[in-house]
Amino acid sequence: MAAVVTASGPPARASSSKTESYVDNKRRDDVRRANIVAACAVADAVRTSLGPKGMDKMIASASGEVIITNDGATILNKMEVLQPAAKMLVDLSRSQDAAAGDGTTTVVVLAGSLLRRSLSLLSAGIHPTVVSDALHRLSVRAVDVLHGMAIPLDLSDRDSLVKSAATSLNSKVVSQYSSLLAPLAVDAVLSVVDPAHPDLVDLRDVKIVKKLGGTVDDTELVRGLVFDKKVSHAAGGPTRVENAKIAVIQFQISPPKTDIEQSIVVSDYTQMDRILREERNYILGMVKKIKATGCNVLLIQKSILRDAVTDLSLHYLAKAKILVVKDVERDEIEFITKTLNCLPIANIEHFREEKLGFADLVEEVSVGDGKIVKITGIKNMGRTTTVLVRGSNQLVIDEAERSLHDALCVVRCLVNKRFLIAGGGAPEIEMSRQLGAWAKELQGMESYCVKEFAEALEVIPYTLAENAGLKPIAIVTELRNRHAQGEINTGINVRKGQITNILEENVVQPLLVSTSAITLATECVRMILKIDDIITVR
Amino acid sequence: MAVERLLKDDATEEKGDRARMASFVGAMAIADVVKTTLGPKGMDKILQSTGRGRTVTVTNDGATILKSLHIDNPAAKVLVDISKVQDDEVGDGTTSVVVLAGELLREAEKMVNAKIHPMTIIAGYRMAAECARNILLQKAMDNKQDPEKFTSDLMNIAMTTLSSKILSQDKEHFAKLAVDAVLRLKGSTNLDAIQIIKKAGGSLKDSFLDEGFILDKKIGIGQPKCIENAKILVANTAMDTDKVKIYGARVRVDSMARVAEIEGAEKEKMREKVQKIIAHGINCFVNRQLIYNFPEELFADAGILAIEHADFDGIERLALVTGGEIASTFDNPESVKLGHCKLIEEIMIGEDKLIHFSGVEMGQACTIVLRGASSHVLDEAERSLHDALCVLSQTVNDSRVLLGGGWPEMVMAKEVDELARKTPGKKAHAIEAFSRALQAIPTIIADNAGLDGAELISQLRAEHHKERTNAGIDVISGGVGDMEKLGISESFKVKQAVLLSATEAAEMILRVDEIVTCAPRKREDRM
């Protein structure tokens, strides 16, 4: 107790060393340690899937379903972790998925590394809140460093967009198709950007339809609508309509049914006949009304209460040369009406021409073992788009969809925040270097913590190199050296297995992915650090 | 052993010392659980539910921790209850009240062991509490007359409350949000008008205050997405055909045409209902129940914005803020009160589309949109913000404020010590003990921050021996600091409630000398 504080208001800094020592009882330490160890275990589980040469995981779910994926968020979601702190890491990757869509593995690996360093800081007797505050300052500073490295991007620069989408796709199962999927993702996102709100993209406007058969090569972007459904042509109706006038209807073309329970009492044979005739007339009347408006394509919403169409009505519709697609989900109605620029019709009485949508061509196309319905050449098409994903088996299709989602998210990030940053571990090394230098300017415990955490950031290039079968230590030290000489865009070129200027290799990623990874990871680690007890409650 | 069996089988009885011991131990154990969450450097707890889903909550809020604990000790339950009452009454100080009561009991236990009668202790505690309250009353500052100073007081209080929570890094931002929201209320403590919406994504700094009301719903297809000078009808009505709710109601007909007619009639009925609703002269219709496709289309044709399936809480609040009433029959358009607002539009927060009502009738209303990394962060942020809002709304009514950082406790302790010196008899021991219990709070705050509590308290005491000092614990720099300069304030009402309810709870537990546990009720399923 050297600096006994006198009553006359001591200088605040002089006694600061006391704040930062931490004496705690054994149990609380154990709880914290258990939390950190559990969280690190989760991080280790996904570590090997980081980077372009990362490995995939096979997940067998309880229901016997098998998933093969490389996507951190998916792996963690399917792992049924129980330990509360480990659960927080799972949530962390989910938030990264929501915020940026990509970098879900990176964020977890980063958090694991930071936690491991915190453990050694804690055992050195530093108070958790000091560690946590240092981490906060570090994250603010790290984001500044990243902003300093960022390269502004213009949305008309399609090449750069494609490059960053390709970087994201390179680490996936479908990496060999990145040259096809990357431009596709860029076009899909750019086509839904609303000029009125240029920085907002709603990915719900991009619909992904999966269809088994063919290879991923056959994946295509469709400017229009695709239904994973057959045309209902039991009665020989048309399967191809040009100059289509399309109606989206929310009622059914089948014999009437009331909400109140009803039964038709038939007492003799002639009545039976009459009922059949009436039914025919009723349906015929409806079909005639539809035909009168010039409509030749019907999309019918699914109904659980009664059949959307019956054989009889199909027959009449076929006669009237109307193409019918039935069982459209209610959730999809909004997307469809937005695309077709039409209005849904809920009652036959409201069937009017102005509610119809127009398209050049509606046709049924057979792909693989199934058939799909395509609507193309839509007049006044809304800002939506559809991607038809193909693949040789269900596992590949699912993984292709997840990868495409990541790529779409990457492009969306770029639309939101128009900056690019180098990939291949370059930003992490640069952050580590600059923060390490900054730590030397700080004082006391804070400096010690920041230095430790700055080193923790090197885990990303280290793991990248490790997964690619390179010598991690040699690579990381070489990187450090090159960055110290001012080559801030040097990173690991996994394909060539050496260190190069990563920008020239076209390995780029959106700034938002990196910033959100660092802020989310630090926020999560700080939360875990502050916990000193687990209480079981009702 | 004169009495054979007084109680039923399985009922237990604990007497005298054993009973007292059981309640002391229980109460102190509870206080120890929440002790480490006290103060700006307090720690958080994970609450792991044993129920379905094994949900995890991370919190620092005393009331939340206590009310979810499994407790079998009657005295511990008393403490949980006072924390709950504190939460309902003033919203903050839920941990302090339990810790103070725990400390009072810890002191009482020593005195009981030294053969001082519990009643004497109670009498001493009462005198001490009265004296402590008086000094607080004297020392409290009231800046109500000076609006500028008052606002800065509010900011300080909000920041002090928030500094022990998850929001501490962005406390200025949130303190401003909370103060703005509370000042809009203009003195009412009805926090219903402040709506908190949580949306995952972004960071805590992106949270904002919005004038008006936000409903987390979608606008029907084909309807206007933006309405000016909206007349809103809020309803809770079934929009399908009014089905006769008698089991087995059915109609018998003899032809298909009749069925079609009935169907037509049903449709007609729906249409009539929609016409009646439209006849109110509205351009926005919000229903708690589903609006089906057919009515939706009718509304769209009439250019009316229809929102279906709004949650119960949502429509009640919407009715409140727009000044409307929830209607369920539509026969008398004159008697239905419509809600009004200047503009309804669709906005996008994060990835979701929401409906925004601005320029609402009730000017007090506002919405705080919280953004954060994960649901844990958001939930905890909501709890913290709620605490701050409660304290602020109380302070707006009772504008007296005190300094924070252990200052009030030290002031009270000093005064209580003087009283002890003047008081003859055994009561003086109890009064002294009260002062020690008060000083335990700053000690715990200091200990949680990793400071040398005993050392700091002695410095504080020396400092407080002088006249008019503002000294308290400055946790950030780790020494004694001037609370007024650091801007650490607390609401008088919170402190008073902590003092009084902790004393009362301690008193109640002290009076106990027998615990009778009733036999659990037998399940009679094998009869």
Side-chain angles (χ1 to χ4, degrees), chain B residues 75-139:
Chain B
K77 277 205 178 115
V78 172
L79 287 199
V80 172
D81 279 348
I82 58 168
S83 135
K84 242 182 237 166
V85 169
Q86 178 85 8
D87 196 25
D88 294 344
E89 288 273 302
V90 285
D92 195 24
T94 49
T95 314
S96 315
V97 69
V98 173
V99 172
L100 183 58
E103 289 302 321
L104 284 174
L105 287 171
R106 204 186 299 272
E107 294 293 337
E109 187 192 7
K110 286 184 210 152
M111 284 187 279
V112 170
N113 287 343
K115 301 279 180 271
I116 298 179
H117 194 277
M119 285 305 157
T120 318
I121 303 177
I122 290 171
Y125 276 7
R126 275 199 187 161
M127 283 174 69
E130 186 56 36
C131 156
R133 184 168 168 252
N134 286 336
I135 187 76
L136 277 190
L137 274 172
Q138 277 176 32
K139 294 272 183 179

Side-chain angles (χ1 to χ4, degrees), chain B residues 128-384:
Chain B
E130 186 56 36
C131 156
R133 184 168 168 252
N134 286 336
I135 187 76
L136 277 190
L137 274 172
Q138 277 176 32
K139 294 272 183 179
M141 291 163 282
D142 193 344
N143 285 330
K144 188 138 205 170
Q145 311 312 325
D146 184 353
E148 207 166 288
K149 247 187 153 175
F150 183 54
T151 317
S152 84
D153 270 358
L154 285 180
M155 277 297 279
N156 284 340
I157 290 177
M159 289 216 273
T160 311
T161 306
L162 291 173
S163 64
S164 62
K165 317 271 172 172
I166 190 171
L167 304 175
S168 61
Q169 292 297 343
D170 306 312
K171 63 182 172 193
E172 260 171 63
H173 182 66
F174 282 99
K176 195 154 178 354
L177 281 188
V179 171
D180 283 352
V182 168
L183 284 181
R184 288 179 73 87
L185 288 179
K186 300 191 184 72
S188 104
T189 51
N190 180 10
L191 291 181
D192 281 347
I194 302 177
Q195 188 199 17
I196 298 182
I197 285 188
K198 296 176 280 184
K199 280 277 161 216
S203 73
L204 286 171
K205 251 207 187 98
D206 299 334
S207 308
F208 60 93
L209 179 89
D210 195 283
E211 297 172 19
F213 180 82
I214 294 176
L215 194 67
D216 193 354
K217 279 287 154 222
K218 272 198 179 156
I219 297 175
I221 301 162
Q223 291 164 352
K225 304 269 180 213
C226 174
I227 286 186
E228 280 180 46
N229 289 326
K231 296 195 200 80
I232 307 158
L233 178 63
V234 186
N236 181 5
T237 180
M239 286 307 289
D240 52 354
T241 38
D242 293 329
K243 217 185 266 185
V244 185
K245 296 260 169 20
I246 303 169
Y247 179 73
R250 62 193 303 173
V251 286
R252 278 170 197 281
V253 288
D254 59 356
S255 76
M256 208 47 124
R258 298 293 301 246
V259 179
E261 266 171 39
I262 294 172
E263 196 192 12
E266 282 177 351
K267 283 264 153 68
E268 200 48 45
K269 227 174 160 186
M270 276 172 152
R271 190 199 307 274
E272 259 174 40
K273 190 161 185 179
V274 173
Q275 292 305 344
K276 268 188 205 161
I277 291 170
I278 295 173
H280 286 71
I282 55 166
N283 46 20
C284 172
F285 177 67
V286 183
N287 194 6
R288 200 186 84 73
Q289 298 180 23
L290 284 172
I291 302 176
Y292 295 85
N293 296 331
F294 180 63
E296 186 174 306
E297 194 188 359
L298 292 176
F299 280 123
D301 282 351
I304 289 174
L305 192 159
I307 300 163
E308 68 170 4
H309 209 200
D311 52 310
F312 212 84
D313 197 34
I315 60 161
E316 280 195 346
R317 220 184 279 243
L318 184 63
L320 176 79
V321 298
T322 57
E325 266 171 14
I326 300 174
S328 51
T329 53
F330 307 99
D331 289 331
N332 310 309
E334 314 83 48
S335 67
V336 177
K337 242 174 106 185
L338 296 179
H340 295 276
C341 81
K342 291 238 165 57
L343 181 68
I344 301 176
E345 61 184 339
E346 207 174 38
I347 54 166
M348 216 166 152
I349 300 177
E351 293 209 334
D352 295 316
K353 280 187 179 144
L354 304 160
I355 304 168
H356 182 216
F357 298 78
S358 53
V360 293
E361 197 116 300
M362 187 173 162
Q364 295 100 307
C366 60
T367 303
I368 296 177
V369 180
L370 286 179
R371 308 296 313 277
S374 71
S375 56
H376 299 304
V377 175
L378 285 176
D379 288 349
E380 179 66 358
E382 187 191 7
R383 279 191 290 271
S384 315

Side-chain angles (χ1 to χ4, degrees), chain A residues 7 18 87 91 95 127 204 259 261 263 265 278 306 346-347 355 412 530 532-533 535-538, chain B residues 44-46 48 50 54 68-69 169 241 251 253 256-257 263 266 294 297 351 373 376 448 450 463:
Chain A
K18 278 196 293 177
K87 249 187 193 168
D91 280 349
S95 335
H127 194 283
R204 270 166 295 198
D259 275 345
E261 208 178 330
S263 59
V265 184
E278 275 174 358
R306 62 198 251 199
N347 190 338
K355 290 192 175 178
R412 185 189 58 173
K530 282 193 85 179
D532 73 341
D533 212 350
I535 301 171
T536 324
V537 297
R538 269 174 284 231
Chain B
D44 297 354
K45 310 267 174 209
I46 287 187
Q48 187 172 35
T50 47
R54 301 182 72 85
S68 32
L69 284 175
Q169 292 297 343
T241 38
V251 286
V253 288
M256 208 47 124
E263 196 192 12
E266 282 177 351
F294 180 63
E297 194 188 359
E351 293 209 334
H376 299 304
N448 282 346
E463 191 75 7

Side-chain angles (χ1 to χ4, degrees), chain A residues 151-200:
Chain A
I151 308 151
L153 166 92
D154 193 358
L155 276 193
S156 54
D157 183 5
R158 190 161 169 278
D159 267 0
S160 301
L161 290 173
V162 172
K163 273 185 229 162
S164 44
T167 309
S168 154
L169 287 168
N170 267 336
S171 61
K172 314 282 174 187
V173 178
V174 293
S175 57
Q176 66 270 38
Y177 303 112
S178 64
S179 58
L180 169 83
L181 293 181
L184 196 143
V186 172
D187 290 345
V189 173
L190 289 187
S191 66
V192 301
V193 175
D194 186 352
H197 302 279
D199 47 357
L200 283 179

Side-chain angles (χ1 to χ4, degrees), chain A residues 34-46:
Chain A
N35 280 342
I36 293 178
V37 169
C40 284
V42 170
D44 283 342
V46 292

